[in-house]
Amino acid sequence: MRNVTPISQHMTFDPSISIGHVILACGFIATTIGLLLNVVALRRTLKVQRLDYLYRVTHDLFADSEFRRFFYQLDYGRFTFDADSFRESDAELHLDRLLYTYDLIGRLIRNGVVNVSDVSNVSFEISQICTNAEVRRYLDWLETEYKTHGRNSRNVRSRPFDNAQWLFERVCEP
């Protein structure tokens, strides 16, 4: 039978700290601080990029004076939706452009790329659109068009401008 010595008899704890231990600890602390600073800087950069993107999107819309006039027609209640005269009109182009933009913003929010609070600079404009009865009539008319023409096995949409309407529900409803 072999003579077995307990492990505890061979282990010794050396409480001394060498310069190597200090350098190793300092390196670990510096790496951790650097990593945290990079995370903070990355988060700030991403937020700035998101806000810059939203600024460019809305600026592109409202820098167009013809579009701006159309928006004011909506805002002041001078726009009337008539399905017969609306097709292929400038009003259709402008309203669809606006709704596609809000649809994209709604999709970005739904996918977690931006937050509802990030679009606060255009929340007034969004509320003017989502509370406009004529815009609602247009969306309702599009819904009937979707039921007739827009829903097949390859193109299933729950509702026209679904992400925009989802955004409207978040911004306009209490």
Side-chain angles (χ1 to χ4, degrees), residues 84-149:
D84 296 328
S85 63
F86 189 69
R87 290 178 191 251
E88 299 181 14
S89 69
D90 287 343
E92 180 182 27
L93 296 174
H94 293 311
L95 185 54
D96 281 348
R97 179 178 174 196
L98 183 65
L99 291 172
Y100 276 115
T101 299
Y102 291 152
D103 201 62
L104 174 62
I105 292 171
R107 179 179 216 122
L108 292 172
I109 293 170
R110 283 177 116 167
N111 289 331
V113 176
V114 296
N115 302 315
V116 172
S117 62
D118 293 334
V119 298
S120 62
N121 64 317
V122 291
S123 60
F124 172 76
E125 288 82 0
I126 293 171
S127 68
Q128 293 303 95
I129 299 306
C130 67
T131 58
N132 185 295
E134 296 299 313
V135 172
R136 178 59 40 206
R137 283 186 57 219
Y138 173 58
L139 291 170
D140 291 343
W141 175 79
L142 276 179
E143 177 65 27
T144 61
E145 291 293 298
Y146 272 40
K147 288 177 183 174
T148 305
H149 306 290

Side-chain angles (χ1 to χ4, degrees), residues 11 14 24 117 144:
M11 293 183 61
D14 183 7
L24 182 64
S117 62
T144 61

Side-chain angles (χ1 to χ4, degrees), residues 18-82:
S18 70
I19 190 73
H21 292 125
V22 172
I23 292 171
L24 182 64
C26 288
F28 177 76
I29 291 169
T31 301
T32 302
I33 290 171
L35 180 63
L36 290 174
L37 290 174
N38 279 332
V39 167
V40 168
L42 179 63
R43 290 184 72 193
R44 182 175 293 139
T45 299
L46 290 174
K47 183 162 183 83
V48 167
Q49 286 177 342
R50 289 191 318 250
L51 295 175
D52 181 59
Y53 174 76
L54 290 171
Y55 168 78
R56 283 184 283 122
V57 166
T58 54
H59 180 267
D60 288 347
L61 277 177
F62 292 103
D64 179 346
S65 61
E66 188 178 322
F67 175 81
R68 192 98 173 134
R69 276 194 279 292
F70 173 75
F71 178 80
Y72 286 134
Q73 285 181 342
L74 287 171
D75 188 23
Y76 300 140
R78 294 186 201 135
F79 169 74
T80 304
F81 172 71
D82 175 20

Side-chain angles (χ1 to χ4, degrees), residues 151-156:
R151 292 194 177 133
N152 59 46
S153 61
R154 290 175 286 151
N155 182 21
V156 178

